[in-house]
Amino acid sequence: DIQMTQSPSTLSAAVGDRVTFTCRASQMIYTWLAWYQQKPGKPPKLLIYDSSTLQTGVPSRFSGTMSGTEFTLTISSLQPADSATYYCQQYNTYPWTFGQGTKVEIK
Amino acid sequence: EVQLLESGGGLVQPGGSLRLSCSVSGFSFSNYRMNWVRQAPGKGLEWVANIKQDGSETYYADSVRGRFTISRDNADNSLSLQMDSLRAEDTALYYCARGMTVWSGFYFMDSWGQGTLVTVSS
């Protein structure tokens, strides 16, 4: 199975900060990676698919990039509404696998 | 509006069975792959199973293969997950999620239900 490793586990930043967190795949998954945002008591929400394509309706402050097996989610200007846990997920190969999540807290 | 509504969760004893359902509306169900994803209390997301549009292909996580069966009824716009030989570690909120592809044939999950809670305990 493909292992997805996210870092950091927790991130604390101020409103307006640029924040970046990463997801590393244990093997090549090409561009087949999605990012989800999950707030407490809510289902996950798709933010980005195909590693860098923004889902319709998602604010443009979110962006995704890839380099080999390392993927990055960036929030260009952190907002209070961005307080959540973010998960990456590969869909290159079954079984699909998620990273363990990065929790973003607002200072 | 795309809507997915899970049902069927509850308390079950270890070794028991439970059948989850997901009723959908707002899209042409038969055109989409469908998935089950679970989340244990306080834990991360775990993909469970996937089924092709016509039901001819299914995929499972290693942790549930041989115990869980995903199925669908396109005439009824419904997805099911039959869970047998349940274990304490199957305790989780179970989500159904729509599989989406734009052009590649590689599917991601773009719409999710609110989930149904399964508790396996004696």
Side-chain angles (χ1 to χ4, degrees):
Chain A
D1 299 0
I2 297 175
Q3 306 302 315
M4 306 301 293
T5 304
Q6 289 186 243
S7 61
S9 297
T10 305
L11 183 158
S12 181
V15 172
D17 281 355
R18 180 183 181 89
V19 300
T20 298
F21 35 97
T22 63
C23 173
R24 181 171 283 107
S26 61
Q27 57 188 272
M28 185 64 72
I29 60 169
Y30 305 97
T31 63
W32 312 125
L33 181 115
W35 289 98
Y36 301 91
Q37 176 193 65
Q38 188 179 33
K39 297 183 179 181
K42 298 293 187 182
K45 173 187 174 183
L46 176 67
L47 296 177
I48 286 171
Y49 61 92
D50 294 355
S51 76
S52 61
T53 303
L54 204 63
Q55 171 71 339
T56 302
V58 173
S60 59
R61 62 180 180 274
F62 291 93
S63 63
T65 60
M66 67 165 286
S67 177
T69 59
E70 184 168 297
F71 300 81
T72 298
L73 178 66
T74 298
I75 308 173
S76 60
S77 177
L78 191 67
Q79 300 301 304
D82 301 335
S83 178
T85 300
Y86 294 82
Y87 295 94
C88 62
Q89 178 243 328
Q90 68 82 17
Y91 48 96
N92 179 73
T93 306
Y94 292 108
W96 292 353
T97 45
F98 287 89
Q100 79 277 21
T102 292
K103 186 175 182 179
V104 173
E105 299 174 341
I106 310 295
K107 284 181 182 175
Chain B
E1 180 188 4
V2 172
Q3 291 191 329
L4 303 94
L5 182 64
E6 303 92 340
S7 61
L11 175 63
V12 61
Q13 292 189 339
S17 297
L18 207 58
R19 187 176 182 89
L20 305 184
S21 296
C22 175
S23 179
V24 312
S25 61
F27 64 99
S28 182
F29 179 69
S30 61
N31 289 344
Y32 291 85
R33 281 186 179 260
M34 295 297 297
N35 300 273
W36 289 98
V37 176
R38 69 185 181 182
Q39 187 168 34
K43 302 298 184 182
L45 300 168
E46 180 185 18
W47 171 80
V48 172
N50 171 287
I51 186 166
K52 194 178 177 180
Q53 289 88 333
D54 62 0
S56 62
E57 291 179 8
T58 57
Y59 299 91
Y60 296 93
D62 296 343
S63 57
V64 307
R65 188 177 295 111
R67 301 186 299 122
F68 290 11
T69 303
I70 188 173
S71 61
R72 65 191 298 159
D73 183 343
N74 286 342
D76 196 37
N77 287 347
S78 66
L79 176 73
S80 295
L81 185 69
Q82 176 66 39
M83 304 186 296
D84 299 320
S85 303
L86 282 161
R87 307 166 180 167
E89 54 265 36
D90 296 319
T91 294
L93 188 63
Y94 284 74
Y95 296 103
C96 69
R98 187 176 77 168
M100 179 68 171
T101 184
V102 176
W103 59 271
S104 65
F106 285 84
Y107 287 79
F108 50 91
M109 294 176 283
D110 74 326
S111 297
W112 299 61
Q114 294 296 313
T116 186
L117 182 62
V118 173
T119 303
V120 183
S121 175
S122 55

